[in-house]
Amino acid sequence: KPGQILIMEEKRFFYVAFLSTPYKMGEFIRKMTGFPYNHTAISLSPKMKYLYSFSRHYKNAPFYGGFTKESVLRYRKKDNFARIKICAVPVSEENYQKAKKRLEFFANHSEEHIYNMISAACFPFRKSVRIKKSFTCAEFVLSMLKKYADIPVLKEKDFCSIKELSAVLDIYKIY
């Protein structure tokens, strides 16, 4: 109406990245799964300055991992970059703020959280082994989406491979 001020709510998104990491462990995982992506992470920013996930802390230490605050440089090896797929999943402002606080909590308590090696080892059997304060990358991203995004098909899932998660989020693919 004339004279009425229109207030537009800014859209909020989780940017879910599916990556083909350029290291031996990633190559091994891709051979085992037959899927082009072996890692997934989440960002709250469209520029993806930081991505959050559970992964190895160092590329040469495959059994030492936990919550990681990553940059895109993590996925570069010499002059090769990882193949990447990005999905922008809409979330409410309220859930965006809650997710931001949860990620800050993980970052401030990262030493308490470990990579879930047992669950990773059970992946071929389509099993997820829940261990307190422990996730794989797919478990972590799934937990964030189940808690804060409105994607009904994910709400019932206890196990979700990177391939399955990628397929569900394909409708949100932006890159």
Side-chain angles (χ1 to χ4, degrees), residues 74-94:
R74 179 181 178 98
Y75 308 109
R76 185 180 75 186
K77 182 179 180 183
K78 297 184 184 175
D79 291 330
N80 295 327
F81 281 91
R83 183 179 353 183
I84 188 169
K85 170 183 167 179
I86 301 170
C87 300
V89 179
V91 295
S92 70
E93 178 65 29
E94 179 183 1

Side-chain angles (χ1 to χ4, degrees), residues 24-41:
K24 288 186 191 323
M25 184 62 79
E27 289 174 25
F28 174 74
I29 293 168
R30 289 190 302 278
K31 282 183 184 177
M32 292 287 293
T33 63
F35 191 61
Y37 305 108
N38 61 281
H39 183 59
T40 185

